[in-house]
Amino acid sequence: MGAGHAHLLLMTRADELRRAGIEARLLAPPGFDYSGLATGVLSGAVSPLANRLDVARIAGSAGVAFRAGEAARILAPDRCVETGEGEILDYDILSLNIGSRIRDPLSLAQAADVYPAKPLSSLARLRVRLETLCAEGWARAPALVVAGTGPGGFEIAAVLEALSRRLWGRSNVTLVGPDPEAGFVSARARDRLLAGLDRRGLVRRRGRVCATSPGSCRLEAGEELACDALVLATGLVGPELLLSSGLPLDPDGRMIVSTGLVSMGDEQIFGVGDCAVIEGHERPPLGVFGVRAAPFLLAALQARAGGPPARPYLPQSRYLSILDLGDGSGLALYGSHARRGRAALWLKRRLDEGFLNRMRRLES
Ligand SMILES: Cc1cc2nc3c(=O)[nH]c(=O)nc-3n(C[C@H](O)[C@H](O)[C@H](O)COP(=O)(O)OP(=O)(O)OC[C@H]3O[C@@H](n4cnc5c(N)ncnc54)[C@H](O)[C@@H]3O)c2cc1C
């Protein structure tokens, strides 16, 4: 269920599943948006579809039966899932790689002109919206507010600044959240990062957005900010579907799995990527962990089919993440180290294109 990173990589090794006697079926939306390039799409650095993969074609050339759609319910005691269309699909083993959603306890995403950072297609929609406004002669740079001051919020604010500047020659972007000083970056790199963003005119505010109305949004402290579009980058939590699954979940609604990637509440259900968290090895929701889990998931499934015991998956505690700053530079973060510059963005593009090219070989 779900064509996240790990399941896409399983498609490249579908032969090994078949040889183990496993008949794999994939239930997922027909398109997959790859997150590494999502901000490149938003900034306009790459084409709007540059990060999109055709899941149906990938499954087709891997010889895996594909059902387009989303699961609406997991009926674990009956070993079946119900699709959004009400169809019941039985399983012996269920593997979940269904990603995450934006934390939105106030349901801000329901309002017009609000763009949650997930699903990623909403960022592509925002780019198209801004390009359309510009083409229609909207005179001033729209007031854009990004809620959330984690790495994702900073990255989105920086690339929106670049997009506005490209379209209007100037920008009006405000980043609002509890940590406008970018506490996730070591002190030395932080000063340079913030100085660079301040020079580009990005406004940083401490606070939380609690309501929106046409043309403005309100902060918890009562202040109103001009806002033509609001982006929610308020953190990632487990998919809503899991809430009714009966599976053990962590406080963020991610299913708790063992180092064997199996749910702590149901031996027949595996979980990888953002939707799962490994007990004792909790990591933030990042694509890299789904990618790294893929060979372990394959081995675990083969073991279930009578293969040799699988090794446990112990996610690395230090990992590389690179933010696209929209101005041709990137910020590479690795443990407490940070490095900013063009080389960081070059490396990010190389890594992201590596994944996409690997999958595109199956698309043709
Ligand atoms: C703006 C932004 C930029 C990011 N940049 C990076 C980055 O550069 N590097 C990085 O490592 N991480 C990045 N992340 C985090 C990254 O998006 C996630 O960690 C990553 O996508 C999780 O991968 P996954 O394989 O778990 O699931 P996903 O990539 O989210 O894939 C899950 C798939 O399951 C499908 N699905 C969902 N629900 C169902 C259902 N009910 N039934 C069937 N299918 C379903 C979805 O449509 C989707 O195709 C970024 C996140 C954001 C918001």
Side-chain angles (χ1 to χ4, degrees):
M1 210 165 106
H5 297 69
H7 282 178
L8 285 172
L9 288 169
L10 270 197
M11 297 294 117
T12 67
R13 300 180 68 176
D15 278 353
E16 291 170 67
L17 287 175
R18 269 189 294 276
R19 277 203 297 276
I22 296 167
E23 181 211 333
R25 289 177 293 157
L26 178 64
L27 169 67
F32 168 81
D33 293 311
Y34 178 66
S35 59
L37 262 191
T39 42
V41 168
L42 179 58
S43 74
V46 296
S47 78
L49 292 177
N51 68 333
R52 173 137 289 210
L53 290 172
D54 185 332
V55 177
R57 288 181 75 149
I58 290 170
S61 55
V64 169
F66 176 67
R67 189 73 56 99
E70 289 202 6
R73 277 201 303 162
I74 300 171
L75 303 161
D78 300 329
R79 293 209 191 153
C80 63
V81 298
E82 186 180 347
T83 67
E85 290 74 42
E87 194 182 352
I88 300 291
L89 304 177
D90 296 320
Y91 65 80
D92 297 312
I93 299 273
L94 178 65
S95 178
L96 301 179
N97 186 194
I98 53 175
S100 51
R101 66 191 159 107
I102 284 289
R103 186 193 308 279
D104 182 21
L106 301 174
S107 301
L108 297 173
Q110 307 296 325
D113 297 317
V114 178
Y115 298 81
K118 276 219 153 179
L120 295 165
S121 54
S122 114
L123 296 181
R125 238 177 352 101
L126 175 56
R127 167 182 165 175
V128 171
R129 169 93 179 121
L130 294 176
E131 286 175 340
T132 306
L133 280 181
C134 183
E136 287 173 356
W138 182 285
R140 62 176 172 81
L144 306 173
V145 177
V146 178
T149 41
F154 269 86
E155 182 174 19
I156 290 171
V159 299
L160 272 180
E161 193 286 320
L163 175 62
S164 278
R165 193 166 291 283
R166 179 169 67 79
L167 296 174
W168 281 275
R170 55 197 178 278
S171 65
N172 179 1
V173 180
T174 304
L175 176 64
V176 183
D179 179 23
E181 304 299 325
F184 58 88
V185 191
S186 62
R188 220 173 108 237
R190 186 186 314 154
D191 290 346
R192 288 190 53 214
L193 168 71
L194 298 182
L197 295 176
D198 292 351
R199 253 197 317 278
R200 289 164 60 186
L202 194 122
V203 177
R204 294 178 287 112
R205 305 290 293 264
R206 191 176 305 280
R208 284 177 198 274
V209 176
C210 65
T212 62
S213 50
S216 73
C217 67
R218 195 167 67 245
L219 305 190
E220 270 174 359
E223 197 181 346
E224 294 275 340
L225 297 181
C227 178
D228 297 308
L230 171 69
V231 180
L232 301 179
T234 40
L236 297 173
V237 294
E240 205 160 325
L241 166 80
L242 291 179
L243 298 176
S244 61
S245 68
L247 299 173
L249 307 180
D250 82 346
D252 283 336
R254 301 168 75 190
M255 63 188 278
I256 305 173
V257 298
S258 65
T259 53
L261 303 172
V262 178
S263 162
M264 301 303 278
D266 188 327
E267 287 225 318
Q268 304 308 112
I269 302 188
F270 287 74
V272 276
D274 282 15
C275 69
V277 63
I278 299 171
E279 193 173 57
H281 303 271
E282 294 77 10
R283 298 287 180 271
L286 277 175
V288 61
F289 295 113
V291 169
R292 293 285 176 94
F296 292 88
L297 176 63
L298 174 66
L301 293 171
Q302 288 168 321
R304 281 297 175 94
R311 280 183 303 127
Y313 171 52
L314 305 174
Q316 73 262 40
S317 52
R318 293 213 293 177
Y319 45 87
L320 177 67
S321 70
I322 307 178
L323 310 185
D324 178 350
L325 297 179
D327 60 353
S329 75
L331 176 70
L333 302 168
Y334 184 77
S336 59
H337 300 285
R339 171 106 16 129
R340 190 182 155 201
R342 290 187 174 272
L345 185 64
W346 175 84
L347 179 61
K348 178 177 177 63
R349 293 280 190 263
R350 230 184 110 102
L351 295 171
D352 292 336
E353 277 157 18
F355 180 86
L356 285 169
N357 289 340
R358 194 165 164 198
M359 297 316 307
R360 291 231 154 89
R361 281 198 280 278
L362 270 187
E363 257 184 349
S364 45

